[in-house]
């Protein structure tokens, strides 16, 4: 049996692009330093020297993050996060769960394996920005994991193709902050409308104020709507170290969880 391939949340093209940017900027610094004279030389050399440093730092960061998130590396941070979210989901026999933005299928498969007598659907738009992820890859990973209680389908998180109260649990991992939106709290509500009464949710994302606004009123709104045990748990202490969260710009990562 083949091993699953969950890819990496940091795409390889990212550090390729930063490396190319650093090399081009360095070449231009050298060319301008040798060819130009006067104020134009100083300005352009400084400008492209700064561009070189920015690309170099970004390149180092992307390689560092890639190694941290790799399923084949030592840290396996992505696996720690996936397993940590799945622990929150206990489905009844015959129950159903939805993973929104399933990517390569990792979280959906983890939930399905933890709840073998339930059914799980992984949903994603599989956009070109993450072209390494696909529905076919999800299916292949499920087969590699020997996971049969799972299926995958295309769908948009901003307008899910499911009826109200369809699932006993809904989960997601680092999805909504990637969606261009001025109201990500509305996307959360779109997710939660698919949850059955008494169902559980575990939604992991970067819930920083600049991405989501003030989450405290939103948590109270959910409680006023009848949701129970609504929590926003800082995962810099739970799934990763504070230093990892800071270095990889994941400060604000938290798990929004509760019961409907």
């Amino acid at each position: 049996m083949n091993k699953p391939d969950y890819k990496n949340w940091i795409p390889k093209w990212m550090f390729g692009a930063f490396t190319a940017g650093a090399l081009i900027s360095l070449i231009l610094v050298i060319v301008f330093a040798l060819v130009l004279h006067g104020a134009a030389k100083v300005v352009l050399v400084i400008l492209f020297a700064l561009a070189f440093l920015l690309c170099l730092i970004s390149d180092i960061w992307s390689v560092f993050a890639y190694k941290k998130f790799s399923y084949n590396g030592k840290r396996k941070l992505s696996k720690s996060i996936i397993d940590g979210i799945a622990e929150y989901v206990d489905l009844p026999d015959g129950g159903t769960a939805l993973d929104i933005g399933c990517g390569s299928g990792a979280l959906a498969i983890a939930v399905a394996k933890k709840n073998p007598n339930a059914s799980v659907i992984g949903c994603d738009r599989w956009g070109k920005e993450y072209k390494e992820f696909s529905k076919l890859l999800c299916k292949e990973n499920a087969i590699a994991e020997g996971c049969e209680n799972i299926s995958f389908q295309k769908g948009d998180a901003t307008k899910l193709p499911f009826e109200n109260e369809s699932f006993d649990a809904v989960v997601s991992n680092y999805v909504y902050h990637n969606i261009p939106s001025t109201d990500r709290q509305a996307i959360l509500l779109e997710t939660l409308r698919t949850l059955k009464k008494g169902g559980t949710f575990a939604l992991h994302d970067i819930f920083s104020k600049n991405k989501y606004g003030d989450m405290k009123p939103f948590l109270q709104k959910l409680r006023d709507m009848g949701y129970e045990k609504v929590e926003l748990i800082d995962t810099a202490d739970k799934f990763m170290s504070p230093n990892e969260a800071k270095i990889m710009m994941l400060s604000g990562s938290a798990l929004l969880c509760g019961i409907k």
Side-chain angles (χ1 to χ4, degrees):
M1 181 183 293
N2 294 329
K3 292 183 179 180
D5 180 11
Y6 292 120
K7 302 300 181 181
N8 197 296
W9 298 343
I10 307 297
K12 288 183 178 179
W13 62 259
M14 183 178 288
F15 40 84
F18 287 138
T19 299
L23 288 173
I24 292 171
S25 297
L26 181 59
I27 290 169
L28 289 174
V29 167
I30 295 171
V31 169
F32 291 143
L34 294 175
V35 173
L36 297 180
H37 302 281
K41 172 180 177 178
V42 174
V43 170
L44 289 173
V45 166
I46 291 175
L47 179 64
F48 282 96
L50 290 173
F52 166 74
L53 288 174
L54 180 60
C55 288
L56 181 61
I57 292 170
S58 298
D59 198 14
I60 293 170
W61 173 87
S62 62
V63 171
F64 173 81
Y66 187 91
K67 289 181 177 179
K68 285 283 185 179
F69 280 119
S70 174
Y71 277 85
N72 299 317
K74 293 181 179 179
R75 177 62 178 90
K76 295 183 176 68
L77 179 57
S78 52
K79 186 177 188 305
S80 297
I81 294 172
I82 291 296
D83 291 345
I85 299 170
E87 280 300 311
Y88 282 80
V89 183
D90 291 307
L91 295 169
D93 288 352
T96 56
L98 172 66
D99 174 21
I100 300 168
C102 63
S104 60
L107 178 55
I109 291 170
V111 171
K113 290 177 70 175
K114 184 175 181 289
N115 299 274
N117 296 321
S119 298
V120 178
I121 294 176
C123 178
D124 204 310
R125 57 185 287 273
W126 292 295
K128 61 183 180 180
E129 60 269 36
Y130 283 95
K131 61 182 180 181
E132 290 187 333
F133 296 164
S134 67
K135 183 177 179 179
L136 177 60
L137 176 64
C138 291
K139 289 181 175 180
E140 290 175 344
N141 285 336
I143 292 171
E145 293 278 15
C147 190
E148 298 181 352
N149 59 325
I150 192 168
S151 62
F152 301 94
Q153 70 178 73
K154 195 162 188 175
D156 187 337
T158 63
K159 191 175 182 181
L160 293 168
F162 306 105
E163 298 294 329
N164 293 348
E165 301 186 21
S166 297
F167 300 97
D168 296 288
V170 291
V171 298
S172 70
N173 182 43
Y174 283 142
V175 173
Y176 308 115
H177 76 276
N178 285 318
I179 301 173
S181 175
T182 57
D183 189 357
R184 292 189 175 90
Q185 293 182 13
I187 303 176
L188 294 175
L189 291 175
E190 167 64 8
T191 295
L192 293 175
R193 76 164 178 80
T194 68
L195 185 63
K196 292 179 181 179
K197 292 288 191 299
T200 59
F201 59 94
L203 311 173
H204 187 232
D205 202 13
I206 304 173
F207 288 99
S208 57
K209 197 166 185 177
N210 67 314
K211 296 181 185 298
Y212 276 90
D214 190 350
M215 284 296 289
K216 287 183 180 179
F218 182 76
L219 298 185
Q220 188 57 50
K221 179 179 181 178
L222 292 183
R223 296 184 187 107
D224 293 342
M225 292 170 65
Y227 289 83
E228 301 175 12
K229 299 181 181 178
V230 179
E231 297 180 272
L232 193 62
I233 302 170
D234 186 354
T235 53
D237 295 324
K238 194 170 185 64
F239 301 152
M240 66 190 90
S241 73
N243 283 337
E244 285 176 330
K246 189 174 182 180
I247 292 171
M248 290 186 288
M249 297 185 290
L250 295 176
S251 296
S253 291
L255 186 69
L256 176 63
C257 56
I259 302 173
K260 186 172 184 179

